[in-house]
């Protein structure tokens, strides 16, 4: 059964984001292979980042635990000569960063293996104010330094948007297409929850025509393969909450849905 929404399904963001991210990137790669072969190779790659708090907001610092049991069997000393007492430790938990693996796509020239284009799908950590976004922006600068094209897809309503000098257009979701020949200019595609996902260009080498990603078809394929029609809890609240007008619209969309 297809999603009850015409484009991005807002219930995925809170309930199934991590798995959706991996599946969506894989289907993106499959959609590109037929368009760019045999000159280019499409690879699903990954990088590891560290976070103090998981994307599901699990606390990494556990509760304090104290151990003060005396198992010597000796009665407590009273009066007389001072007696040495073994000091019992108190156990605490060190804050330990969690490793998170994030997949992205590279398009490489088959002859020299040079990276021509990088395609990123943003995660909640990439959009977290502070360390998360700073880490991603540093990785972004490394891509620009290689003179590769960069395509970024943001299907998350929460979090800090990618920075641009001029204000971003109004939208719930975004795609950014930065061609190395036009850097630092970037083409920004914006759409709302009520819209279908657009088709966006994927630049290759300057002498080759763009590939095209039909994001709506890729989303629908991912949704069907994952069985989100029954895995998602549509009776739950949408997180983050929708504006009042969109919330009413969403309830109308969900009426025939179990």
């Amino acid at each position: 059964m297809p999603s009850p929404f015409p484009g991005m399904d807002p219930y995925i963001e809170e309930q199934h984001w991590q798995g959706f991210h991996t599946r969506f990137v894989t289907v993106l790669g499959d959609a590109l292979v037929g368009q760019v072969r045999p000159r280019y190779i499409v690879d699903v790659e990954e990088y590891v980042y560290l976070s103090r708090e998981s994307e599901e907001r699990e606390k990494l610092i556990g509760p304090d635990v104290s151990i003060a049991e005396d198992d010597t069997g000796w009665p407590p000393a009273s009066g007389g000569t001072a007696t040495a007492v073994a000091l019992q430790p108190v156990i605490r938990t060190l804050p330990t960063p969690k490793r998170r693996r994030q997949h992205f796509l590279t398009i490489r020239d088959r002859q020299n293996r040079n990276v021509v284009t990088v395609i990123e799908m943003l995660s909640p950590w990439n959009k977290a104010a502070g360390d998360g976004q700073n880490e991603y922006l540093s990785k972004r600068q490394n891509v620009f330094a290689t003179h590769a094209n960069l395509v970024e897809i943001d299907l998350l309503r929460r979090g800090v948007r990618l920075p641009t000098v001029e204000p971003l257009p109004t939208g719930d979701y975004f795609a950014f297409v930065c061609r190395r020949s036009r850097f630092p200019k970037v083409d920004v595609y914006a759409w709302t929850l009520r819209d279908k996902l657009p088709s966006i260009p994927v630049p290759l080498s300057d002498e080759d025509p763009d590939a095209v990603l039909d994001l709506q078809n890729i989303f629908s394929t991912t949704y069907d393969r994952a069985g989100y029609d029954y895995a998602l809890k549509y009776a739950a609240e949408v997180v983050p909450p929708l504006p009042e007008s969109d919330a009413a619209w969403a309830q109308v969309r969900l009426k025939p849905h179990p």
Side-chain angles (χ1 to χ4, degrees):
M1 181 183 295
S3 169
F5 296 95
M8 181 61 189
D9 191 313
Y11 284 84
I12 290 175
E13 182 168 340
E14 173 69 9
Q15 297 184 26
H16 285 280
W17 180 261
Q18 192 166 353
F20 173 76
H21 186 285
T22 300
R23 291 174 182 271
F24 193 89
V25 170
T26 301
V27 179
L28 277 178
D30 294 344
L32 282 170
V33 170
Q35 299 184 61
V36 303
R37 64 183 309 172
R39 179 169 180 181
Y40 301 100
I41 297 170
V42 180
D43 282 330
V44 178
E45 303 189 21
E46 71 174 16
Y47 64 92
V48 177
Y49 60 87
L50 301 179
S51 62
R52 297 180 185 178
E53 192 172 310
S54 78
E55 292 175 5
E56 293 78 28
R57 297 184 299 283
E58 298 166 343
K59 297 297 183 182
L60 297 184
I61 301 176
D64 295 338
V65 178
S66 297
I67 299 179
E69 180 180 354
D70 183 354
D71 59 1
T72 63
W74 292 99
S78 59
T81 306
T83 304
V85 178
L87 182 64
Q88 298 297 323
V90 176
I91 295 178
R92 294 291 185 266
T93 303
L94 296 175
T96 306
K98 265 192 176 177
R99 288 177 174 267
R100 295 289 177 187
R101 299 183 182 276
Q102 182 164 317
H103 295 91
F104 65 100
L105 293 177
T106 58
I107 301 176
R108 296 176 180 269
D109 187 293
R110 187 166 64 92
Q111 296 300 321
N112 55 32
R113 293 300 195 270
N114 288 340
V115 176
V116 174
T117 304
V118 174
I119 303 175
E120 289 274 6
M121 183 176 176
L122 300 186
S123 73
W125 177 248
N126 300 150
K127 298 182 67 180
D131 291 347
Q133 189 174 62
N134 290 338
E135 182 178 320
Y136 176 73
L137 292 179
S138 177
K139 179 176 184 282
R140 191 191 205 199
Q141 286 302 123
N142 291 336
V143 173
F144 292 147
T146 67
H147 304 291
N149 304 299
L150 178 62
V151 176
E152 296 161 302
I153 301 169
D154 182 1
L155 298 182
L156 292 162
R157 292 185 302 115
R158 66 157 59 98
V160 182
R161 298 294 183 191
L162 290 177
T164 53
V165 174
E166 303 85 1
L168 288 173
T170 301
D172 296 313
Y173 307 108
F174 293 84
F176 301 80
V177 179
C178 187
R179 300 174 186 272
R180 58 186 177 184
S181 60
R182 296 181 59 219
F183 180 82
K185 298 298 183 183
V186 60
D187 295 327
V188 180
Y189 299 81
W191 64 99
T192 72
L193 173 66
R194 305 189 190 200
D195 300 322
K196 288 186 175 182
L197 280 71
S199 293
I200 61 172
V202 176
L204 303 170
S205 296
D206 295 340
E207 62 271 21
D208 289 328
D210 296 342
V212 177
L213 285 176
D214 182 343
L215 296 181
Q216 182 59 53
N217 185 59
I218 292 166
F219 171 80
S220 297
T221 300
T222 304
Y223 185 96
D224 291 342
R225 289 181 181 177
Y228 288 134
D229 60 318
Y230 68 89
L232 291 169
K233 298 177 180 178
Y234 284 111
E237 295 294 325
V238 177
V239 180
L242 295 170
E244 187 175 341
S245 60
D246 282 342
W249 171 84
Q251 288 306 308
V252 172
R253 302 288 309 186
L254 288 172
K255 278 185 177 178
H257 202 280

